[in-house]
Amino acid sequence: MISEIALVLSGHAVWGRLLMIEATGLSKTYGKTRAVDGLSFEVRPGAVTGFLGPNGSGKSTTMRMVLGLDRPTAGTVTLDGRQYHDLKWPLREVGALLEAKSIHPGRSARNHLWSLAQTNAIPKGRVDEVLELVGLTAVADRKAGKFSLGMSQRLGIASALLGDPGVLLFDEPVNGLDPEGILWVRTLFHSLAGEGRTIFVSSHLMSEMALTATDLVVIGRGRLIADTTVDDFINSNTEATVLVRSPEASRLAEVLTSSGASVVNGDNGSLLVTGARSSQIGEAAHAAGIALHELSPQQASLEEVFMDLTSDAVDFHGITSATTRAAS
Amino acid sequence: MTTLAVPLPSTESGRAGLRHAIRSEWTKLRSVRSTWISLAVIVVAGIGLSALVSNVEATRWANLGPVDRAQFDPVRFSQTGEFISQFVVGVLGALVVTSEYSTGSIRTTLAAMPRRTTVLVAKAMVVGAVVFVVTQITAFISFFVSQEVLTAHGGKALPAGSSIVTQLRTSVIPVVTLANGGAVRAVILCGVYLTMLTLIALGIGFILRHSAGAISLYVGLLLVIPLVIGILPSSISGSIEKYLPSNLGLAMIVVTTRKTDFAGVLLSPWAATGLLALYAAIIVVLAAWVLARRDA
Ligand SMILES: Nc1ncnc2c1ncn2[C@@H]1O[C@H](COP(=O)(O)OP(=O)(O)OP(=O)(O)O)[C@@H](O)[C@H]1O
Ligand SMILES: [Mg+2]
């Protein structure tokens, strides 16, 4: 891949080492469970890539394989063509937050970070720096076991940033964060990606991903469902519908129908048009001298698209209303 | 916002290796309170129990017959604290590993240092060195304190250089110095015994990855197996007993009794040390093998 290139994005000199995560035919079987099944995808630098999938779809397993913690049953995952195991200073190339609470409860945040820093010859000053960055300076010497889930998430993010790595993996980083914390994480990810780093974030919160990620890797039951951008993912998986209002609705309907679009009547005299983009509708109306009062594309939310796509790949369904009714 | 003010040293040369892992493990070990509690118990219980037992044995001296007097071992009494310490070092050695598995931080550790054997070696070296130093200091202090206790009961020092096993006809409580045959060896091997037990517990920790399981197995090896073997017919138990870790420890520490009631039952101190080292090596190598192969 491209390496040692200094990019300039929005006027800032940014991250010099570009790292691509590449999975090829990645599979992992635990006993009889196929946790990950022939997964191939790429995660590029300079963007936040969302990693979406229902519970038990293999997101955490995939992340552990990226970090060389679990050995793939088949396939490979590489960082710029290299195996994780071959990285000389792993923390300076890849930072990860796997589970927020995975810290000895009796150890202070500062000592935890310092012990981690020492493994990769990272100077002590950097520990204070990342503590400051995540806002934990005031509690740095308190036992990590006394931290709230949100504080633990921040400590996990601090440890991921310790080596100033070009690749960052976060497994459900906003779990337990309050709205302010979520906003902080989103801003942080955007700025990290803006510096040219590779950001790979798993989440259940589709609405959150729509705001955080630009790229998407979607999986269900360990298999790849989509490797795309958020915009393309929504566009290609929803039939674009445009809502139109006009004082001459019936004439507009005729014009649009004759140009090949299909039109149905919506609420309050509106028209719902499919088979034509909003730009085409606007031009057709203009050409026919018809005034428009509203012209709005109806986008399905990421949540809806995701539910649609993965509904047959969901392992665990909640109790249905039918069951509840039968019981009452 | 996220870029460095503190520059990282050049990564051109070298790689994250053993010396980095050792520094990290030392930080981890010293930054939890359980380490300090364990070490305090080793020192306090080690010296306290040894002094107490020396005191009890000294008060019994007047009523002992010639055979019992011949078995009176002022060195072994001075190391009685080892009985408690062997469990403390076991818990310490196991927890160094299993606490990382129970919290999940082993994944952070192995992601930072993907060469897993390096992690194991660093842990073993750090906890092994700490236990060795502390138990060695404790063993020597226990030795001197216990001799003071015996002296306070009217004990008399054996002539320097004399072998402790020659005291058969002494009429006063024998008090020894490090200059007496076998004393230095016994005191040093007490620390060596506890250090090797620590490594065995650490290895069991990597193999079982579970605190309760690892500590149970360790205690089982030291206490339960000897009990089970004890109820077997003596023809069988007699031939196995001397190879048990706890009896290897005894063989490393006793001095006078070797020639009397334990005659033929215990291995020689150095054979015992070698065999225990072999046990520790087997368990640690097995631990390294499973650590390298299993998913973290
Ligand atoms: N170490 C393991 N041993 C056995 N089975 C495992 C192991 N790790 C994961 N699994 C199984 O593999 C499947 C994928 O799990 P994984 O944790 O990767 O999913 P996930 O997408 O991260 O789920 P969630 O959204 O709930 O975090 C599940 O069926 C899980 O039970
Ligand atoms: Mg998960």
Side-chain angles (χ1 to χ4, degrees):
Chain A
M1 296 305 111
I2 326 162
S3 56
E4 311 298 334
I5 293 179
L7 275 189
V8 176
L9 290 178
S10 56
H12 298 285
V14 294
W15 194 247
R17 284 174 286 149
L18 298 188
L19 284 177
M20 190 85 116
I21 306 172
E22 260 180 293
T24 325
L26 197 60
S27 302
K28 180 71 192 180
T29 310
Y30 297 108
K32 284 184 177 165
T33 313
R34 277 191 156 269
V36 174
D37 192 359
L39 209 52
S40 298
F41 61 84
E42 284 187 2
V43 183
R44 68 182 173 97
V48 178
T49 302
F51 191 25
L52 295 184
N55 281 128
S57 55
K59 303 181 297 293
S60 300
T61 303
T62 303
M63 289 205 169
R64 287 198 302 274
M65 288 195 282
V66 176
L67 296 171
L69 294 170
D70 283 21
R71 192 194 299 264
T73 313
T76 56
V77 57
T78 57
L79 299 144
D80 235 12
R82 292 169 303 168
Q83 301 276 342
Y84 188 87
H85 188 268
D86 296 328
L87 300 178
K88 287 195 163 128
W89 302 97
L91 291 188
R92 297 164 179 229
E93 310 225 38
V94 183
L97 161 64
L98 291 183
E99 265 172 277
K101 283 281 183 187
S102 58
I103 297 163
H104 192 296
R107 190 173 287 130
S108 71
R110 191 190 304 281
N111 279 327
H112 170 73
L113 292 173
W114 177 222
S115 72
L116 207 49
Q118 286 174 303
T119 59
N120 278 243
I122 296 163
K124 205 163 197 167
R126 179 64 183 162
V127 170
D128 298 321
E129 213 172 59
V130 291
L131 281 166
E132 186 74 46
L133 181 70
V134 301
L136 288 179
T137 306
V139 294
D141 294 309
R142 273 212 253 150
K143 288 179 180 179
K146 299 246 163 23
F147 280 16
S148 68
L149 185 53
M151 288 159 86
S152 303
Q153 291 284 21
R154 284 169 185 263
L155 181 53
I157 292 169
S159 60
L161 295 172
L162 201 53
D164 196 28
V167 173
L168 286 148
L169 309 180
F170 299 98
D171 200 359
E172 319 250 1
V174 300
N175 259 0
L177 291 183
D178 53 18
E180 193 192 339
I182 293 176
L183 185 62
W184 171 76
V185 165
R186 193 185 298 154
T187 314
L188 176 70
F189 289 175
H190 286 155
S191 89
L192 290 167
E195 290 163 352
R197 299 176 211 250
T198 309
I199 318 291
F200 195 40
V201 190
S202 83
S203 178
H204 285 118
L205 305 172
M206 308 307 145
S207 42
E208 171 56 30
M209 278 296 98
L211 293 168
T212 307
T214 49
D215 291 12
L216 275 186
V217 173
V218 184
I219 62 171
R221 294 203 181 188
R223 294 212 190 97
L224 188 72
I225 291 177
D227 179 2
T228 174
T229 64
V230 172
D231 292 344
D232 285 352
F233 182 62
I234 296 171
N235 290 339
S236 66
N237 288 292
T238 50
E239 211 180 332
T241 305
V242 184
L243 184 143
V244 190
R245 281 182 212 281
S246 167
E248 297 178 75
S250 53
R251 192 153 77 85
L252 180 62
E254 274 168 38
V255 169
L256 292 173
T257 316
S258 66
S259 71
S262 60
V263 181
V264 294
N265 289 320
D267 297 340
N268 305 323
S270 65
L271 300 173
L272 291 172
V273 185
T274 50
R277 275 188 262 169
S278 50
S279 55
Q280 296 169 321
I281 297 169
E283 276 159 26
H286 178 72
I290 301 171
L292 293 182
H293 289 174
E294 185 177 352
L295 179 63
S296 50
Q298 305 292 291
Q299 250 190 357
S301 73
L302 189 54
E303 200 94 38
E304 288 167 320
V305 173
F306 175 77
M307 293 299 233
D308 249 23
L309 263 177
T310 58
S311 57
D312 53 346
V314 172
D315 279 337
F316 313 103
H317 289 284
I319 299 167
T320 61
S321 52
T323 328
T324 330
R325 241 180 282 123
S328 63
Chain B
M1 164 165 109
T2 50
T3 38
L4 288 220
V6 176
L8 301 182
S10 165
T11 54
E12 292 305 307
S13 62
R15 62 183 301 163
L18 185 60
R19 94 199 131 92
H20 306 100
I22 287 174
R23 286 184 200 132
S24 170
E25 291 301 332
W26 168 237
T27 301
K28 285 196 246 177
L29 188 65
R30 68 176 170 75
S31 62
V32 292
R33 205 196 306 170
S34 60
T35 303
W36 299 105
I37 294 173
S38 303
L39 297 178
V41 171
I42 290 172
V43 174
V44 174
I47 298 169
L49 189 64
S50 303
L52 191 71
V53 167
S54 298
N55 190 55
V56 170
E57 295 292 337
T59 55
R60 291 177 56 209
W61 176 263
N63 306 323
L64 294 181
V67 175
D68 287 334
R69 287 191 175 187
Q71 289 166 7
F72 193 94
D73 189 340
V75 180
R76 184 177 150 218
F77 297 150
S78 79
Q79 303 302 318
T80 326
E82 157 268 342
F83 183 78
I84 289 179
S85 302
Q86 62 187 347
F87 299 106
V88 181
V89 298
V91 171
L92 184 62
L95 282 185
V96 160
V97 179
T98 57
S99 71
E100 291 213 25
Y101 279 99
S102 63
T103 58
S105 60
I106 189 72
R107 289 183 174 145
T108 313
T109 301
L110 295 179
M113 188 67 66
R115 296 203 290 181
R116 298 185 179 181
T117 308
T118 305
V119 171
L120 182 145
V121 170
K123 277 189 186 296
M125 286 175 71
V126 169
V127 72
V130 167
V131 166
F132 183 75
V133 168
V134 171
T135 56
Q136 212 58 266
I137 291 170
T138 305
F140 276 96
I141 295 175
S142 297
F143 178 82
F144 294 120
V145 168
S146 298
Q147 302 316 312
E148 286 305 313
V149 170
L150 297 179
T151 307
H153 282 273
K156 288 279 178 299
L158 292 174
S162 71
S163 167
I164 301 166
V165 294
T166 60
Q167 53 178 291
L168 208 52
R169 277 176 212 90
T170 8
S171 56
V172 291
I173 298 171
V175 173
V176 294
T177 65
L178 292 175
N180 291 116
V184 174
R185 183 267 301 158
V187 174
I188 288 177
L189 287 191
C190 182
V192 171
Y193 171 64
L194 293 171
T195 304
M196 290 200 289
L197 287 187
T198 311
L199 300 182
I200 287 173
L202 177 123
I204 292 174
F206 272 114
I207 294 165
L208 296 187
R209 312 209 268 189
H210 196 280
S211 302
I215 293 170
S216 304
L217 177 58
Y218 176 83
V219 171
L221 283 179
L222 284 185
L223 276 188
V224 183
I225 292 183
L227 287 180
V228 172
I229 287 177
I231 59 172
L232 295 176
S234 60
S235 56
I236 303 173
S237 67
S239 57
I240 309 176
E241 253 169 2
K242 60 180 152 200
Y243 304 114
L244 296 176
S246 45
N247 287 338
L248 295 176
L250 195 57
M252 292 161 76
I253 295 161
V254 296
V255 180
T256 61
T257 38
R258 178 170 315 288
K259 290 276 161 41
T260 53
D261 59 343
F262 287 101
V265 175
L266 293 178
L267 295 179
S268 80
W270 298 109
T273 307
L275 188 58
L276 191 62
L278 181 67
Y279 289 173
I282 289 171
I283 290 174
V284 168
V285 168
L286 185 64
W289 189 80
V290 297
L291 177 64
R293 264 148 203 84
R294 283 197 300 216
D295 291 333

